Coordinates of all heavy atoms in Angstrom, one line a residue:
A19 N -18.5 30.0 -25.1 CA -18.3 31.1 -26.0 C -19.5 32.1 -26.1 O -19.4 33.3 -26.1 CB -18.0 30.6 -27.4
K20 N -20.7 31.5 -26.0 CA -21.9 32.3 -26.1 C -22.0 33.2 -24.9 O -22.6 34.3 -25.0 CB -23.1 31.3 -26.1 CG -24.5 32.1 -26.2 CD -25.6 31.1 -26.2 CE -27.0 31.8 -26.2 NZ -28.1 30.8 -26.2
N21 N -21.4 32.8 -23.7 CA -21.5 33.6 -22.5 C -20.3 34.4 -22.3 O -20.1 34.9 -21.2 CB -21.8 32.7 -21.3 CG -23.2 32.1 -21.3 OD1 -24.1 32.8 -20.9 ND2 -23.4 30.9 -21.8
G22 N -19.5 34.6 -23.3 CA -18.4 35.5 -23.2 C -17.0 35.0 -22.9 O -16.0 35.8 -22.8
T23 N -16.8 33.7 -22.8 CA -15.5 33.1 -22.5 C -14.6 33.3 -23.8 O -15.0 33.1 -24.9 CB -15.6 31.6 -22.2 OG1 -16.3 31.5 -21.0 CG2 -14.2 31.0 -22.0
K24 N -13.4 33.8 -23.5 CA -12.4 34.0 -24.6 C -11.2 33.1 -24.6 O -10.6 32.8 -25.6 CB -12.0 35.4 -24.6 CG -13.0 36.5 -24.8 CD -13.7 36.4 -26.1 CE -14.8 37.5 -26.3 NZ -15.4 37.4 -27.6
M25 N -11.0 32.6 -23.4 CA -9.7 31.8 -23.2 C -9.9 30.7 -22.2 O -10.6 30.8 -21.2 CB -8.6 32.7 -22.7 CG -7.2 32.2 -22.8 SD -6.6 31.6 -21.2 CE -4.9 31.2 -21.6
I26 N -9.3 29.5 -22.5 CA -9.4 28.3 -21.6 C -7.9 28.0 -21.3 O -7.1 27.8 -22.2 CB -10.1 27.1 -22.3 CG1 -11.5 27.5 -22.5 CG2 -9.9 25.9 -21.5 CD1 -12.2 26.5 -23.4
S27 N -7.6 27.9 -20.0 CA -6.3 27.5 -19.6 C -6.4 26.2 -18.8 O -6.9 26.1 -17.7 CB -5.7 28.6 -18.7 OG -4.3 28.3 -18.4
Q28 N -5.9 25.1 -19.5 CA -5.9 23.8 -18.9 C -4.7 23.6 -17.9 O -3.6 23.9 -18.3 CB -5.8 22.8 -20.0 CG -5.7 21.3 -19.6 CD -7.1 20.6 -19.6 OE1 -8.1 21.3 -19.5 NE2 -7.1 19.3 -19.9
R29 N -5.1 23.1 -16.7 CA -4.0 23.0 -15.7 C -3.4 21.6 -15.7 O -3.2 20.9 -14.7 CB -4.6 23.3 -14.3 CG -5.3 24.6 -14.2 CD -5.7 24.9 -12.7 NE -6.5 23.8 -12.1 CZ -7.8 23.7 -12.3 NH1 -8.5 24.5 -13.0 NH2 -8.4 22.7 -11.7
S30 N -3.1 21.1 -16.9 CA -2.5 19.8 -17.0 C -1.8 19.7 -18.4 O -2.0 20.6 -19.2 CB -3.6 18.7 -16.9 OG -4.5 18.7 -18.0
T31 N -1.1 18.6 -18.5 CA -0.4 18.4 -19.8 C -1.4 17.8 -20.8 O -1.4 18.2 -22.0 CB 0.8 17.5 -19.6 OG1 1.7 18.1 -18.7 CG2 1.5 17.2 -20.9
G32 N -2.1 16.8 -20.4 CA -3.1 16.2 -21.3 C -4.3 17.2 -21.6 O -4.6 18.0 -20.9
Y33 N -4.8 17.0 -22.8 CA -5.9 17.9 -23.3 C -6.9 17.1 -24.1 O -7.7 17.7 -24.9 CB -5.4 19.0 -24.1 CG -4.5 18.7 -25.2 CD1 -5.0 18.4 -26.5 CD2 -3.1 18.6 -25.0 CE1 -4.1 18.1 -27.5 CE2 -2.2 18.3 -26.1 CZ -2.8 18.0 -27.3 OH -1.9 17.7 -28.4
N34 N -7.0 15.8 -23.9 CA -7.9 15.0 -24.7 C -9.4 15.3 -24.3 O -10.3 14.9 -25.0 CB -7.7 13.5 -24.4 CG -7.7 13.1 -22.9 OD1 -6.7 13.4 -22.2 ND2 -8.8 12.6 -22.5
N35 N -9.6 16.0 -23.3 CA -11.0 16.4 -22.8 C -11.5 17.6 -23.6 O -12.7 18.0 -23.4 CB -11.0 16.7 -21.3 CG -10.0 17.8 -20.9 OD1 -8.9 17.8 -21.3 ND2 -10.5 18.7 -20.1
I36 N -10.6 18.3 -24.4 CA -11.0 19.5 -25.1 C -11.2 19.3 -26.6 O -10.2 18.7 -27.2 CB -10.0 20.6 -24.8 CG1 -9.7 20.8 -23.3 CG2 -10.4 21.9 -25.5 CD1 -8.6 21.8 -23.0
D37 N -12.3 19.7 -27.2 CA -12.4 19.6 -28.6 C -11.7 20.8 -29.2 O -12.3 21.9 -29.3 CB -13.9 19.6 -29.0 CG -14.1 19.2 -30.4 OD1 -13.3 19.6 -31.3 OD2 -15.2 18.6 -30.7
L38 N -10.5 20.7 -29.6 CA -9.7 21.8 -30.1 C -10.2 22.4 -31.4 O -10.2 23.6 -31.6 CB -8.2 21.4 -30.2 CG -7.5 21.0 -29.0 CD1 -6.1 20.6 -29.3 CD2 -7.6 22.0 -27.9
A39 N -10.7 21.5 -32.3 CA -11.2 22.0 -33.5 C -12.4 23.0 -33.3 O -12.5 24.0 -34.0 CB -11.6 20.9 -34.4
V40 N -13.3 22.6 -32.4 CA -14.5 23.4 -32.1 C -14.0 24.7 -31.5 O -14.5 25.8 -31.8 CB -15.5 22.7 -31.3 CG1 -16.6 23.6 -30.7 CG2 -16.1 21.5 -32.0
A41 N -13.1 24.6 -30.5 CA -12.6 25.8 -29.8 C -12.0 26.8 -30.8 O -12.3 28.0 -30.7 CB -11.5 25.4 -28.8
E42 N -11.2 26.3 -31.8 CA -10.7 27.2 -32.8 C -11.8 27.9 -33.6 O -11.7 29.1 -33.9 CB -9.7 26.4 -33.7 CG -9.0 27.3 -34.7 CD -7.9 26.6 -35.4 OE1 -7.9 25.3 -35.4 OE2 -7.1 27.2 -36.1
G43 N -12.7 27.1 -34.0 CA -13.8 27.6 -34.8 C -14.6 28.7 -34.0 O -15.2 29.6 -34.7
L44 N -14.7 28.6 -32.7 CA -15.4 29.5 -31.9 C -14.5 30.7 -31.5 O -15.0 31.7 -30.8 CB -15.9 28.9 -30.6 CG -17.0 27.8 -30.8 CD1 -17.2 27.0 -29.5 CD2 -18.3 28.5 -31.3
G45 N -13.2 30.7 -31.9 CA -12.4 31.8 -31.6 C -11.9 31.8 -30.1 O -11.5 32.8 -29.6
L46 N -11.8 30.6 -29.5 CA -11.4 30.4 -28.2 C -9.9 30.1 -28.1 O -9.4 29.2 -28.8 CB -12.1 29.3 -27.4 CG -13.6 29.5 -27.2 CD1 -14.2 28.2 -26.7 CD2 -13.8 30.6 -26.2
T47 N -9.1 30.9 -27.4 CA -7.7 30.6 -27.1 C -7.6 29.5 -26.1 O -8.3 29.5 -25.1 CB -6.9 31.8 -26.6 OG1 -6.9 32.8 -27.7 CG2 -5.5 31.4 -26.3
V48 N -6.8 28.5 -26.4 CA -6.6 27.3 -25.4 C -5.1 27.1 -25.2 O -4.3 27.1 -26.1 CB -7.2 26.0 -26.0 CG1 -7.1 24.9 -25.0 CG2 -8.7 26.2 -26.4
A49 N -4.8 27.1 -23.9 CA -3.4 26.8 -23.5 C -3.4 25.7 -22.4 O -4.4 25.4 -21.8 CB -2.7 28.1 -23.0
R50 N -2.2 25.1 -22.3 CA -2.1 24.0 -21.3 C -0.8 24.2 -20.5 O 0.0 25.1 -20.8 CB -2.1 22.7 -22.0 CG -0.9 22.5 -22.9 CD -0.6 21.1 -23.4 NE 0.4 21.0 -24.4 CZ 1.1 19.9 -24.6 NH1 0.7 18.8 -24.0 NH2 2.0 19.8 -25.5
V51 N -0.5 23.3 -19.6 CA 0.8 23.2 -19.0 C 1.6 22.1 -19.7 O 1.3 20.9 -19.5 CB 0.6 22.8 -17.5 CG1 2.0 22.7 -16.8 CG2 -0.2 23.9 -16.7
S52 N 2.4 22.5 -20.6 CA 3.1 21.5 -21.4 C 4.2 20.7 -20.7 O 4.6 19.7 -21.2 CB 3.7 22.2 -22.7 OG 4.6 23.2 -22.3
F53 N 4.6 21.3 -19.5 CA 5.7 20.6 -18.8 C 5.6 20.9 -17.3 O 5.4 22.0 -16.9 CB 7.1 21.0 -19.3 CG 8.2 20.5 -18.6 CD1 8.7 19.3 -18.8 CD2 8.8 21.3 -17.5 CE1 9.8 18.8 -18.1 CE2 9.9 20.8 -16.8 CZ 10.4 19.5 -17.1
Y54 N 5.8 19.8 -16.5 CA 6.0 20.0 -15.1 C 6.8 18.8 -14.7 O 7.1 17.9 -15.5 CB 4.7 20.1 -14.3 CG 3.8 18.9 -14.4 CD1 3.9 17.8 -13.5 CD2 2.7 18.9 -15.3 CE1 3.1 16.7 -13.6 CE2 1.9 17.8 -15.4 CZ 2.1 16.7 -14.5 OH 1.2 15.6 -14.6
S55 N 7.3 18.8 -13.4 CA 8.2 17.8 -13.0 C 7.8 16.3 -13.4 O 6.8 15.8 -13.0 CB 8.3 17.8 -11.4 OG 9.0 16.6 -11.0

Side-chain angles (χ1 to χ4, degrees):
K20 181 180 179 181
N21 286 280
T23 298
K24 300 296 184 181
M25 193 260 189
I26 295 169
S27 186
Q28 177 97 330
R29 304 187 310 276
S30 67
T31 300
Y33 52 89
N34 54 281
N35 59 312
I36 307 173
D37 191 325
L38 297 181
V40 171
E42 184 173 16
L44 292 169
L46 294 171
T47 294
V48 182
R50 63 165 174 161
V51 178
S52 58
F53 174 84
Y54 61 85
S55 169

